[in-house]
Amino acid sequence: MKKSGLITLAMVSALSMGSAFAQQTIKIATLTPLSGGQSDLGTQIQNGARLAVNEYKARFAKLGFNLQLVGYDDQADPATGTANARKIAADRSILAVVGTLNSGVAIPASQALAPSRVAMISPANTANSVTDRGLKNMNRIVARDDAQGPAGAQFIINTLKAKKVYVLDDKTAYGEGLASEVDKALKAKGIQVVGREGTEEKSDFSAIISKIQLLKPDAIYFGGIYNQVGVFAKQLREKGVNAPLIGGDGYDSSELLTIAGEGAKGIYFTTVAAPIEALPAAKTFSANYQKTFKKPAQGFGAFGYDAAKVALQGILDAIKTNKNKMPSRAQVETAIRKVKATGLLSGNVEFNSVGDRKAAKMYIMSVGDNLKFKLAETIDVKAPRQ
Amino acid sequence: MDVQALLSFLVGVVVSGLVLGFVYAIIALGYTMVYGVLQLINFAHSEVFITGAVVGFEVFRVLATAPINGYLKLIIALLSAMIISGLLNVLIERLAYRPLRNAPRLVPLITAIGVSLILQDLLRILEGFQGRFDLTYTLPQGFSNTFCGSTSSCAAFGSFLSGIGVQLQIKEVILVVVAVLMLALLNYIVNYTRMGRAIRAVAQDRVTAGLMGIDSNRMISLTFLIGGALGGVSGVLFGLKFGTINAYSGFDPGIVAFTAAVLGGIGSIPGAVLGGLVLGVIQNLIGVTNILGSLLGIANLQSIDASYQRIGAFILLVVILIVKPTGLLGRSNTEKV
């Protein structure tokens, strides 16, 4: 036994010595859904990351490294994602991961990658616990769920200039949490919350609408999901109430427009997923994307590109601190947390101590007169910890 | 807040409660008729009702661009829903209840719950195949307009209505008119026709009615046909009022309507109507209790908001049943024997 171990050791060291003279390979991986219902979004992220890798290839080659991108499929499924994270951990040439799309996958996958110190940069996950667990390897470049409430409140105060607001929720953890955040933020700014209630009702909102008619709020906040809010909006407008209706990313579905019909006018919602037109720097990126993949780029493509650029910047920093030699995964992990990336499509990226983007952006979408979503405003949000 | 504004607010709340109550009332009739004849709680009625709503959705969807009058579309929708829901109810009785007619009472009750679950998922599959889940009614133009708006010939009446705090949409007026017509028709059939007399005879004593030459199976089928047709109409009215339904949205109004039937005295037709209207109004009043509390300065009421609507209805039911166990208009069972 001991002998064979020694032989293996000798062989491994011989191999690594051999590769020291040839060009070394550095890989970054993407972990996104490439099959199943969400594969379209996952492929966007992968494609965006590929454009970033293509851009950085020459700079890595100059330092003597061969840069590659490998795509892993998580099928939007936590178990598959975790299994693939273990495969990533086993491939020593992978130094960072761009992913995932779903918070539910990111949480176990980052846990699986943590012992082998593979850094992860998420282009899409919003759940607070993605970074609240304080893992050293988990970072994200989008705003967190708990930024939505304050951003919604800020929009109500600054843009809608409302003085009286009616706050509703759907009595779920999501809706109630969001509505309480808004309630708190509004009251802190001295805005009058004239009504605050929860309802599980799915079809009959007549009592609530009567109250709204009586109290005449300047704006209504409803923390809920599109299928309930759509019905509410329809009945609200039919009763002649035209006050703006605001909510969170639970509204982000074209079904909202189908259900509410004409009643969708005057609806606003906060989301981290910017449409590509909302990113001022994305023109060249869009053109490149179209040329390379023969498909139009969308928001997630841009965030995949940005996340990959942050990863590559981190790896370059690690190479520098390691005197232009192949850095270890731990060095990359530390370098990414300390990265200062500028001029990305979504602005500058810096992480706080747990991996949240210090200054992220929240996008406010609105429903226009043509009953389509359009960008109304961009709001800067700070990470809860600096 | 002045007294006038408060009053018109209250009137508005009561009126919208009454409109809602009419929907409950005709769903409740479906429960009460079957119970009156078979002493069976037909829990599948909420699905018969939502089947009517789905049929209504399909009719409005298919006819959306057809160049015909909106009211004609509504009549087609109502008739199709009546026919399909009625036949469905007859089929349910034939397959699920008749073979169990002599079984202990609990058995058909459980079957009814089973039928209800099966129908829910059947509807889900049927619409799911076409990629739909939440079904949104495409109503003819103008149905959602305010009744007697400023431009119409009845502007004076319209301004009187809005003056006292009543804001009705055309579709709500349609709803009440259709519901009242259905109630009148049912009342006529049950009380003034041979068929109605036969149904009442079966309800009173099936065996003796049989000896008098009444085919009780036929009369029971007929009862289910009428009950189902009422369910179909109420389904369309529900869709008309609220706009969006899905395969599972029958449960909620079904339970409230069942409560209404018990509240009014199950087995009694006027009782079902009264129960429905009372529940509709009570629900809406409980929904605005918090505002009334703050307007009247009663702090204890301020935490009772719209989420207590249902509970309030059930507390009322319990109270009524303690005070008068047969329900508001129910007669005690001994009279029947």
Side-chain angles (χ1 to χ4, degrees):
Chain A
M1 276 305 271
K2 210 167 186 183
K3 208 172 200 176
S4 68
L6 268 176
I7 291 170
T8 321
L9 193 69
M11 277 172 69
V12 168
S13 52
L15 274 172
S16 58
M17 264 168 69
S19 64
F21 299 111
Q23 212 181 27
Q24 279 181 304
T25 298
I26 288 180
K27 291 184 198 159
I28 68 167
T30 56
L31 182 62
T32 55
L34 300 176
S35 54
Q38 302 179 27
S39 58
D40 182 44
L41 304 178
T43 311
Q44 283 273 339
I45 294 176
Q46 194 196 20
N47 287 348
R50 192 173 295 283
L51 286 184
V53 164
N54 290 348
E55 242 175 70
Y56 272 71
K57 259 203 155 102
R59 283 169 73 176
F60 275 79
K62 228 181 260 170
L63 294 167
F65 298 104
N66 173 24
L67 182 65
Q68 285 177 10
L69 179 88
V70 273
Y72 285 87
D73 185 8
D74 65 26
Q75 297 172 11
D77 168 50
T80 316
T82 314
N84 275 329
R86 294 210 182 88
K87 279 188 211 156
I88 291 171
D91 182 347
R92 302 296 306 176
S93 55
I94 297 177
L95 294 184
V97 178
V98 170
T100 63
L101 177 68
N102 309 83
S103 295
V105 181
I107 291 167
S110 56
Q111 205 89 46
L113 289 171
S116 39
R117 322 275 312 256
V118 183
M120 224 169 139
I121 297 160
S122 162
N125 308 139
T126 57
N128 294 345
S129 58
V130 167
T131 48
D132 276 352
R133 295 165 303 152
L135 289 182
K136 281 197 181 118
N137 64 328
M138 184 78 225
N139 312 281
R140 65 170 136 205
I141 61 166
V142 290
R144 299 154 48 106
D145 275 347
D146 57 6
Q148 279 207 58
Q154 198 185 327
F155 180 73
I156 291 173
I157 298 167
N158 295 347
T159 309
L160 298 176
K161 308 242 182 278
K163 298 274 172 270
K164 290 197 291 181
V165 184
Y166 203 96
V167 182
L168 287 162
D169 68 67
D170 63 359
K171 305 198 86 172
T172 64
Y174 167 76
E176 201 168 350
L178 212 50
S180 312
E181 288 283 339
V182 170
D183 186 42
K184 214 165 58 187
L186 287 176
K187 281 178 181 154
K189 287 274 162 97
I191 303 295
Q192 195 188 352
V193 176
V194 290
R196 170 83 184 92
E197 66 190 300
T199 176
E200 285 163 334
E201 185 60 57
K202 291 276 193 285
S203 47
D204 172 30
F205 295 96
S206 51
I208 295 174
I209 292 172
S210 299
K211 283 188 268 190
I212 290 175
Q213 282 178 313
L214 181 73
L215 296 170
K216 299 192 178 62
D218 307 322
I220 302 158
Y221 191 93
F222 194 153
I225 307 292
Y226 64 88
N227 55 359
Q228 190 191 20
V229 175
V231 178
F232 172 73
K234 186 188 171 83
Q235 292 179 19
L236 188 72
R237 304 298 188 226
E238 279 178 359
K239 285 288 179 191
V241 181
N242 291 318
L245 175 63
I246 306 115
D249 54 359
Y251 290 21
D252 199 353
S253 161
S254 57
E255 277 287 295
L256 176 74
L257 304 174
T258 318
I259 294 174
E262 286 285 307
K265 282 178 197 167
I267 290 183
Y268 300 86
F269 61 91
T270 51
T271 176
V272 297
I276 193 97
E277 316 83 62
L279 303 170
K283 265 218 170 85
T284 345
F285 167 78
S286 289
N288 270 342
Y289 192 101
Q290 177 74 38
K291 208 172 77 192
T292 318
F293 305 108
K294 312 279 174 253
K295 266 193 263 173
Q298 289 162 32
F300 279 113
F303 283 99
Y305 175 82
D306 275 5
K309 276 183 100 167
V310 173
L312 295 169
Q313 184 63 49
I315 295 172
L316 282 178
D317 292 350
I319 292 172
K320 212 181 200 176
T321 40
N322 207 27
K323 303 191 181 72
N324 287 347
K325 281 204 291 265
M326 179 82 167
S328 73
R329 281 171 162 183
Q331 281 169 325
V332 173
E333 186 186 69
T334 322
I336 284 179
R337 185 59 57 86
K338 280 198 282 198
V339 95
K340 282 190 174 58
T342 50
L344 302 182
L345 300 182
S346 62
N348 301 341
V349 172
E350 258 182 80
F351 296 115
N352 68 359
S353 58
V354 290
D356 282 321
R357 185 170 177 172
K358 276 185 181 167
K361 281 193 169 62
M362 203 87 206
Y363 301 89
I364 310 244
M365 306 295 290
S366 70
V367 180
D369 280 342
N370 57 353
L371 296 184
K372 286 207 174 77
F373 292 143
K374 66 169 199 279
L375 184 80
E377 199 172 299
T378 311
I379 287 183
D380 294 310
V381 294
K382 294 228 173 316
R385 282 179 264 188
Q386 285 301 312
Chain B
M1 189 66 58
D2 57 315
V3 180
Q4 175 125 34
L6 180 65
L7 273 182
S8 69
F9 169 64
L10 273 181
V11 171
V13 170
V14 169
V15 167
S16 70
L18 281 175
V19 172
L20 182 65
F22 273 108
V23 183
Y24 290 149
I26 52 175
I27 311 172
L29 283 175
Y31 283 102
T32 236
M33 283 197 62
V34 168
Y35 183 85
V37 172
L38 282 184
Q39 270 80 54
L40 163 75
I41 308 287
N42 181 16
F43 271 120
H45 190 67
S46 54
E47 273 58 52
V48 172
F49 150 78
I50 213 67
T51 305
V54 172
V55 171
F57 161 78
E58 288 294 343
V59 170
F60 281 123
R61 185 179 70 83
V62 170
L63 296 182
T65 52
I68 51 174
N69 186 289
Y71 292 93
L72 189 60
K73 289 181 192 173
L74 177 71
I75 289 171
I76 297 173
L78 285 171
L79 284 179
S80 332
M82 278 174 91
I83 293 168
I84 291 176
S85 292
L87 292 179
L88 176 68
N89 218 17
V90 171
L91 190 71
I92 292 171
E93 192 272 331
R94 184 71 193 79
L95 296 179
Y97 302 149
R98 193 177 295 182
L100 298 170
R101 193 154 306 154
N102 296 317
R105 276 221 202 147
L106 196 58
V107 178
L109 183 75
I110 292 167
T111 315
I113 295 173
V115 170
S116 154
L117 295 177
I118 292 171
L119 284 178
Q120 277 181 3
D121 286 331
L122 269 180
L123 284 177
R124 167 88 205 257
I125 290 171
L126 274 176
E127 289 298 325
F129 272 140
Q130 300 165 75
R132 289 193 284 264
F133 180 71
D134 286 308
L135 310 175
T136 305
Y137 270 56
T138 32
L139 290 181
Q141 200 117 50
F143 271 31
S144 298
N145 291 355
T146 314
F147 179 62
C148 278
S150 52
T151 53
S152 66
S153 51
C154 57
F157 184 54
S159 59
F160 164 71
L161 282 182
S162 56
I164 59 168
V166 177
Q167 200 181 21
L168 284 176
Q169 289 163 267
I170 291 187
K171 61 183 189 184
E172 289 174 316
V173 176
I174 293 174
L175 187 156
V176 173
V177 169
V178 171
V180 169
L181 281 180
M182 294 314 288
L183 296 176
L185 183 67
L186 180 72
N187 190 47
Y188 174 75
I189 289 177
V190 172
N191 288 324
Y192 300 99
T193 61
R194 274 176 67 89
M195 199 164 74
R197 206 183 310 158
I199 290 176
R200 277 182 291 144
V202 172
Q204 204 152 57
D205 187 334
R206 199 186 311 149
V207 179
T208 316
L211 293 175
M212 300 292 146
I214 296 172
D215 182 348
S216 63
N217 273 340
R218 240 185 90 202
M219 286 308 132
I220 289 170
S221 289
L222 199 63
T223 310
F224 272 84
L225 183 71
I226 297 173
L230 283 172
V233 170
S234 47
V236 176
L237 296 184
F238 187 81
L240 192 67
K241 174 149 172 51
F242 297 128
T244 303
I245 51 145
N246 64 47
Y248 303 104
S249 41
F251 180 78
D252 245 26
I255 277 290
V256 176
F258 169 64
T259 315
V262 177
L263 181 69
I266 192 152
S268 151
I269 291 176
V273 177
L274 181 67
L277 295 179
V278 167
L279 274 193
V281 173
I282 291 282
Q283 276 205 5
N284 264 21
L285 282 177
I286 291 172
V288 300
T289 306
N290 55 345
I291 293 299
L292 289 178
S294 62
L295 291 180
L296 303 172
I298 309 168
N300 293 345
L301 294 183
Q302 288 178 18
S303 52
I304 301 177
D305 60 23
S307 51
Y308 289 86
Q309 281 185 193
R310 296 266 188 275
I311 303 173
F314 284 97
I315 291 176
L316 177 77
L317 177 73
V318 171
V319 171
I320 296 276
L321 289 184
I322 290 171
V323 178
K324 192 166 185 298
T326 51
L328 291 173
L329 296 184
R331 284 171 302 181
S332 66
N333 248 350
T334 45
E335 257 177 76
K336 228 175 199 175
V337 178

